[in-house]
């Protein structure tokens, strides 16, 4: 397992999406800044708060040409309930394979190997990592306001 570093291409992942179809990373984010949120599960209060905050920031993120996707090991029904509960306005993938996602992204895994720890990535429009945040337990994750500020800074200094 190797963590992703700034400048690295985000690995190719295909995951089933809530509501049908699939989410292909990083391809589905191409041409936009991408925010990839790996969350522990719908049972995690910190993950719920993070996902709800990114959903509330969705209009601002869209103005900054940013797209959000989230994924976890939760099954489709559990993920769909989470989407409905928080009125999430971005695609959510379900049934992620712990080992496959951890191997590809460097995300930490729970001690019993049943779920992924919170990890978050901001990608440039070419799918390269421009920041990565890894957590080894319940706290420590990307924050919507920080990502908005980071993208505003990047856009202000594009040259």
């Amino acid at each position: 397992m190797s963590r992703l570093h700034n400048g690295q291409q985000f690995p190719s992942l295909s995951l089933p999406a809530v509501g049908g179809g699939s989410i292909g990373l990083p391809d589905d984010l191409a041409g936009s800044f991408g925010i990839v949120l790996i969350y522990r599960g719908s049972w995690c209060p910190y993950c719920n708060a993070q996902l709800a905050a990114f959903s509330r920031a969705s209009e601002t993120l869209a103005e900054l040409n940013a797209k959000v996707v989230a994924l976890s090991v939760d099954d489709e029904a559990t993920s769909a309930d989470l989407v409905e509960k928080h009125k999430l306005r971005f695609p959510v993938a379900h049934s992620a394979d712990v080992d496959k996602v951890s191997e590809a992204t460097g995300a930490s895994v729970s001690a019993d190997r049943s779920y992924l720890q919170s990890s978050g990535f901001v990608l440039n429009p070419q799918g390269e990592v421009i920041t990565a945040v890894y957590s080894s337990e319940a706290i420590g994750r990307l924050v919507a306001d920080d990502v908005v500020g980071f993208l505003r800074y990047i856009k202000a200094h594009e040259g």
Side-chain angles (χ1 to χ4, degrees):
M1 173 178 78
S2 177
R3 291 188 170 182
L4 298 174
H5 299 283
N6 291 355
Q8 279 186 280
Q9 186 70 27
F10 192 83
S12 180
L13 292 171
S14 181
L15 301 140
V18 169
S22 64
I23 297 171
L25 296 174
D27 295 343
D28 288 354
L29 303 172
S32 300
F33 288 98
I35 297 123
V36 180
L37 304 173
I38 298 174
Y39 65 99
R40 300 168 81 210
S42 64
W43 51 268
C44 173
Y46 303 106
C47 298
N48 277 258
Q50 178 194 37
L51 296 172
F54 272 93
S55 191
R56 287 190 303 272
S58 62
E59 287 181 27
T60 302
L61 289 165
E63 290 168 7
L64 293 167
N65 188 33
K67 295 179 181 177
V68 177
V69 298
L71 65 102
S72 79
V73 301
D74 286 348
D75 63 27
E76 184 172 18
T78 303
S79 299
D81 288 346
L82 180 72
V83 168
E84 178 60 30
K85 176 181 177 183
H86 294 295
K87 308 289 186 235
L88 299 181
R89 299 184 216 172
F90 48 81
V92 175
H94 62 86
S95 308
D97 180 285
V98 168
D99 294 322
K100 181 179 176 182
V101 173
S102 176
E103 181 66 30
T105 66
S108 295
V109 177
S110 64
D112 66 2
R113 303 205 58 78
S114 64
Y115 61 88
L116 295 154
Q117 297 290 1
S118 177
S119 302
F121 308 91
V122 180
L123 313 179
N124 68 17
Q126 295 75 41
E128 298 167 340
V129 175
I130 55 176
T131 197
V133 175
Y134 290 93
S135 177
S136 60
E137 275 300 330
I139 59 173
R141 64 199 66 239
L142 281 179
V143 176
D145 288 344
D146 290 349
V147 172
V148 166
F150 180 55
L151 294 178
R152 284 184 174 147
Y153 176 85
I154 289 171
K155 290 185 130 330
H157 294 87
E158 287 177 331

